[in-house]
């Protein structure tokens, strides 16, 4: 199984760590302050999670970008992407700086050399990090991306964690539906 690296150790990063752990994956979590600042986070998340540098997290097979929108360029700057799958879990809350593109299309430009998939941005961190089994069904997670094999890896991660993944198509169309102020933002569905 593919290990998961997470860039960002806030609420979203920790929720994605819980998701990856439920899927049976090991996790390397990183922030801008360095691994030594993450001792309490790693302790709270438990076995299977280690603290690392951004480069160490970015060397995992699947990497999650889980930082505030304004910090994305800084968070991924200088990282050597080598065909990893990158999950863009960010949200551009203003969305007035996109110039007709989706936020994920902009993030894809920042992680050139990686294969970008938009996911884990439509649910709040508390919901995303909780058990997706509810009312006899599974919580729905939306994904979008331009490469089928990258999306398949992300679908497998979320399905292994108990979610029902729904592929919305390419970044330009599906990614747009997932953005803030668009149809699927904040939608919490259970598939029975």
């Amino acid at each position: 199984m593919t290990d998961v690296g997470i860039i960002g150790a806030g609420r979203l990063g920790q929720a994605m760590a819980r998701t990856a752990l439920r899927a049976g994956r090991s996790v390397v979590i990183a922030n801008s302050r360095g691994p030594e600042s993450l001792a309490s986070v790693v302790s709270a998340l438990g076995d299977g999670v280690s603290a690392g540098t951004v480069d160490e997290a970015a060397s995992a097979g699947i990497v999650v970008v889980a930082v505030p929108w304004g910090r994305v360029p800084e968070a991924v700057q200088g990282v050597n992407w080598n065909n990893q799958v990158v999950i863009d879990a960010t949200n551009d809350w203003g969305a007035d700086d996109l110039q007709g593109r989706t936020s994920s299309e902009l993030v894809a430009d920042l992680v050139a050399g990686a294969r970008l998939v938009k996911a884990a941005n439509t649910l709040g961190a508390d919901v995303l990090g909780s058990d997706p089994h509810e009312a006899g069904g599974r919580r729905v997670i939306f994904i979008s991306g331009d490469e089928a094999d990258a999306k398949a890896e992300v679908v497998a991660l979320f399905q292994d964690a108990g979610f029902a993944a729904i592929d919305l198509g390419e970044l330009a169309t599906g990614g747009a539906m997932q953005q803030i102020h668009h149809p699927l933002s904040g939608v919490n569905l259970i598939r029975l």
Side-chain angles (χ1 to χ4, degrees):
M1 283 195 213
T2 305
D3 293 341
V4 176
I6 300 173
I7 300 172
R11 292 178 63 223
L12 179 58
Q14 291 177 49
M16 279 302 303
R18 285 190 219 48
T19 297
L21 289 171
R22 270 196 315 276
R25 315 298 174 90
S26 61
V27 175
V28 176
I29 193 165
N31 66 10
S32 61
R33 294 177 303 282
E36 58 282 345
S37 70
L38 295 171
S40 64
V41 170
V42 169
S43 176
L45 290 169
D47 291 341
V49 178
S50 62
T53 65
V54 169
D55 284 337
E56 289 168 339
S59 69
I62 296 177
V63 181
V64 181
V65 177
V67 298
W69 174 252
R71 294 190 178 164
V72 173
E74 171 189 342
V76 299
Q77 183 178 11
V79 173
N80 182 22
W81 299 103
N82 189 22
N83 209 36
Q84 298 96 320
V85 173
V86 172
I87 297 174
D88 173 19
T90 68
N91 282 307
D92 181 2
W93 292 90
D96 56 355
D97 57 350
L98 299 178
Q99 301 171 347
R101 299 176 76 201
T102 66
S103 59
S104 290
E105 288 174 301
L106 297 180
V107 175
D109 290 345
L110 295 172
V111 296
R115 298 171 292 147
L116 192 106
V117 176
K118 182 71 166 182
N121 70 305
T122 60
L123 299 171
D126 56 335
V127 175
L128 179 66
S130 65
D131 185 349
H133 296 94
E134 188 173 317
R138 298 180 298 147
R139 182 162 286 110
V140 170
I141 192 103
F142 300 108
I143 67 158
S144 306
D146 295 339
E147 295 189 28
D149 59 334
K151 289 193 289 186
E153 289 186 47
V154 174
V155 165
L157 170 69
F158 283 108
Q159 286 181 338
D160 289 350
F163 286 90
I166 295 179
D167 183 348
L168 299 173
E170 297 179 350
L171 288 178
T173 53
M177 288 189 278
Q178 291 171 255
Q179 290 187 157
I180 294 294
H181 311 300
H182 286 83
L184 299 176
S185 176
V187 173
N188 182 6
L189 302 173
I190 303 297
R191 184 176 197 170
L192 298 175

